[in-house]
Amino acid sequence: MAALKAFLGFYTSPMDTASRILRKYGNAVSITLPFFGKKPLPDAFIFFGAENNRQVYAKWDDLRMTALWPISAKPDTVQQKIRHNYMCLSGKTHRDISNQIEAPLNRGQIRKLSVEMYAIMKPVIDKAFTEDKFDLVRFHKDLSIQCIFNLLFGEPDAERALRIGHMVDELNLSNYVKANRILKLDIPGLPFHDLLRQAEAVKEELTQWIREVDGLPANTNLRTSVLNMTDSDGQPFSFDFTIGCLGSMVWAAIDTPSLGSLWTTVHLSRHPEIAEKLRDELQAAGFSEKTSTEELNKLPYLNGVVLEGLRLSPPGAFIPLKSVRDTVIGSVKIPANTAIYLCPRETQRDPAIYPDPEEFRPERWAGIQSPDAYEFIAFSGGVRRCPGASFATIYMKMVIAMLVERGGLELLTRGPIPVRSAPAMEPLKPVMARPSRSGHFC
């Protein structure tokens, strides 16, 4: 019964369940799931802590990410076809594809984008500060979509970017609706029917969008990189696989910076004294006239605020993996086809690494530009480190600096903010805010 309770807990209250398991059972936990059919389900393993992260990343050729969109369907459906993408591959195949499609995300390229990023963000932020109140989740998603589509995917049309971005985001959220795991019936009126139609609409939209860049050099942007990727023999992948890769990259590019910025905004609203200290740093540096990446990286307290936001509230609460063959992690034998979960949020609240781990304390990052790769896995790690980590970090620095400089926000949603039962730290309900009447975060 304890295993069943834990299993169900990850679908109803993932944050609390992970914390409870850590406190009760330690840093490496095996959950043997109850079964009611002919064949028992394989154990699931949950790993916490820097040393376990190190052991997992050392075995990365034996592991792969699970499907981004977990709801399986019949083989001939679009939903099933686009679930498979390069994130679900392992070993050399994954690395070869990563090298092809991630060139536009290298640090040198990203450093050139900050001034353009400021220009895209400014009218969106200025408009928000004219509203009586607004949903902070939607605000950060809209801002992220317009920036990443323009700067990473080469789509300057903001309205089109918002339409495609929200279509992909809504498909992702539908994949974590509990009813879709249980009642897989393609009958009008049921959520699963709607999910299948969403997948078809997303594929149609992405197909037209990616074909528009056919003929451009492969490394022009992320769209062209995905369209031109080939296997180890130089042959193009199936078009369904290409669309699956494009969809997964769009979703990851939206959620990572938007959720990181969202939760950091919430933390600043709950700690106005920290927001004021950051404002002092920005004013002393003349931030509004110095928006280059080099200038952003000269602001140590801003760096600390962003890292502390990511430490306490990483965009992904879990990193879901699956073993592709029998392997050993530390002293734990892992059979093939076993679910494995890393937990950034719990690792990054380890009091042995981070004293007073529940406190939002940017000062702890003084003198640290880049955290330890295994103690801080907000962007995963090893060969699976998020390729957009550099972009997301610069993005977060920019949007947080602009919000603080603009006068701050008042958080209207008080108390704990529940999250969805999904790997991403997505709020379950709107998080309401308004421009601060006092001119300070509160």
Side-chain angles (χ1 to χ4, degrees), residues 300-351:
Y301 202 68
L302 175 60
N303 184 64
V305 166
V306 167
L307 289 176
E308 191 69 346
L310 288 168
R311 182 188 71 81
L312 280 172
S313 305
F318 302 101
I319 299 174
L321 313 168
K322 185 166 283 190
S323 55
V324 297
R325 60 182 65 87
D326 292 351
T327 189
V328 178
I329 296 176
S331 60
V332 180
K333 294 181 178 180
I334 308 287
N337 202 37
T338 297
I340 298 168
Y341 298 91
L342 294 181
C343 301
R345 182 178 178 273
E346 300 307 320
T347 292
Q348 295 168 187
R349 295 184 183 216
D350 184 349

Side-chain angles (χ1 to χ4, degrees), residues 78 81-82 84-85 202-214 223 226-229 236-247:
V78 172
K81 290 177 180 178
I82 66 173
H84 184 60
N85 58 73
V202 165
K203 181 184 178 182
E204 182 178 356
E205 193 75 35
L206 291 180
T207 296
Q208 179 180 346
W209 191 51
I210 198 171
R211 282 180 171 160
E212 291 173 5
V213 297
D214 191 13
R223 257 193 300 173
V226 172
L227 180 62
N228 289 282
M229 63 187 182
F237 290 97
S238 72
F239 196 70
D240 286 324
F241 182 80
T242 299
I243 293 298
C245 290
L246 181 61

Side-chain angles (χ1 to χ4, degrees), residues 215-371:
L216 293 179
N219 291 332
T220 302
N221 53 52
L222 283 179
R223 257 193 300 173
T224 58
S225 293
V226 172
L227 180 62
N228 289 282
M229 63 187 182
T230 58
D231 63 20
S232 57
D233 296 322
Q235 298 300 310
F237 290 97
S238 72
F239 196 70
D240 286 324
F241 182 80
T242 299
I243 293 298
C245 290
L246 181 61
S248 66
M249 292 196 75
V250 167
W251 169 79
I254 294 170
D255 262 27
T256 303
S258 67
L259 293 178
S261 299
L262 164 68
W263 291 110
T264 304
T265 305
V266 170
H267 287 302
L268 287 175
S269 294
R270 291 172 174 171
H271 299 86
E273 74 286 356
I274 291 175
E276 283 306 296
K277 190 171 180 179
L278 177 55
R279 177 185 287 183
D280 290 344
E281 179 182 72
L282 295 172
Q283 290 178 343
F287 163 73
S288 61
E289 298 175 358
K290 300 176 181 178
T291 58
S292 69
T293 301
E294 290 73 18
E295 295 297 333
L296 287 174
N297 288 336
K298 292 177 182 176
L299 302 172
Y301 202 68
L302 175 60
N303 184 64
V305 166
V306 167
L307 289 176
E308 191 69 346
L310 288 168
R311 182 188 71 81
L312 280 172
S313 305
F318 302 101
I319 299 174
L321 313 168
K322 185 166 283 190
S323 55
V324 297
R325 60 182 65 87
D326 292 351
T327 189
V328 178
I329 296 176
S331 60
V332 180
K333 294 181 178 180
I334 308 287
N337 202 37
T338 297
I340 298 168
Y341 298 91
L342 294 181
C343 301
R345 182 178 178 273
E346 300 307 320
T347 292
Q348 295 168 187
R349 295 184 183 216
D350 184 349
I353 301 172
Y354 303 101
D356 302 317
E358 301 299 324
E359 292 187 11
F360 185 70
R361 205 172 73 196
E363 291 82 2
R364 75 173 78 242
W365 299 102
I368 302 173
Q369 191 71 26
S370 299

